[in-house]
Amino acid sequence: MSILKLKGITKQYGENTVLHGIDLDINKGEVVSIIGPSGSGKSTLLRCINLLEVPNEGQIFLEDQEVSYRVNKLKKLTYSSKNKISSYRSQVGMVFQHFNLWSHKSVLENIIEGPIKVKKENKQEAIEKAKKLLDRVGLIDKINASPRDLSGGQQQRIAIARALAMEPQVMLFDEATSALDPELVGEVLKIMTSLAEEGMTMVVVTHEMKFAEKVSDKVIFMDKGHIVEVGTPEDVFYHGKQPRLNSFLNKIQ
Ligand code: ADP
Ligand code: MG
């Protein structure tokens, strides 16, 4: 069953077209990794999926419902679409390269803010849920800590817990381990792997090829704003057809 579908997503910055009519169909429980050179449009694609960036053209469907976004002449979301979009966004969690935690709030406050403000959850229930999530990412002892006092790996695990607290249908990860010291990468990949194994639908932009090979149902190679190749990890990593894909894989290995 298709959970997230993109049709013809195009994004321009001024004269520069960075996404050229991207089509993508993601099934429930599927893990899709996106690989490709720097500047190929991977982050822009994820940002368009959760409407942090507004596409110039194209349609987005969540569970076959079209997500209607409207923009004014200044290409800003209009007020009425903003309300709908915050409800859509709560269903599409995102984890960023640089964590983006609120540094002036405690770990607990970071996690319960969205559920209380956006989903109008009762505070006590939000706290109970946050505790379970902290337990699952192995950081229950940091519940009252400030993100400033945590390692990068711990901050990213909190950011994952924060996204999960919204009970999203899909999780987007944009190079979630790229800003981490090498010895901290494993603890974050371990949580992402366990989420994948539990059936979370995930779209993962990553440079961790072994991880992508292990957890993905589908791998997408992007170059210059196009999807150039799509297939199973086996297809893409070992039987790539496009010279651009093979030259990219040779460079990073
Ligand atoms: P990737 O994540 O694959 O490295 P990005 O999606 O970040 O690529 O960028 C794709 C292209 O879009 C790049 O040429 C980049 O310079 C451009 N771009 C990204 N964000 C902006 C922006 N806010 N304004 C103008 N150009 C942008
Ligand atoms: Mg990027």
Side-chain angles (χ1 to χ4, degrees), residues 13 16 18 36-45 53 174-175 205:
Y13 291 110
N16 189 12
V18 302
S38 176
S40 57
K42 306 179 298 296
S43 294
T44 306
L45 180 60
E53 295 288 348
D174 191 0
E175 295 197 30
V205 171

Side-chain angles (χ1 to χ4, degrees), residues 142-201:
K142 302 292 183 195
I143 188 162
N144 294 314
S146 158
R148 282 183 285 236
D149 298 328
L150 303 181
S151 72
Q154 290 172 331
Q155 288 187 59
Q156 195 59 297
R157 285 148 66 193
I158 300 294
I160 293 172
R162 179 178 62 174
L164 291 174
M166 298 296 277
E167 297 172 344
Q169 307 225 41
V170 181
M171 285 280 282
L172 312 177
F173 293 86
D174 191 0
E175 295 197 30
T177 59
S178 295
L180 301 177
D181 291 335
E183 74 272 22
L184 304 178
V185 168
E187 65 192 54
V188 173
L189 292 183
K190 200 167 135 201
I191 290 168
M192 291 171 67
T193 304
S194 77
L195 275 177
E197 285 168 353
E198 283 165 28
M200 175 60 82
T201 310

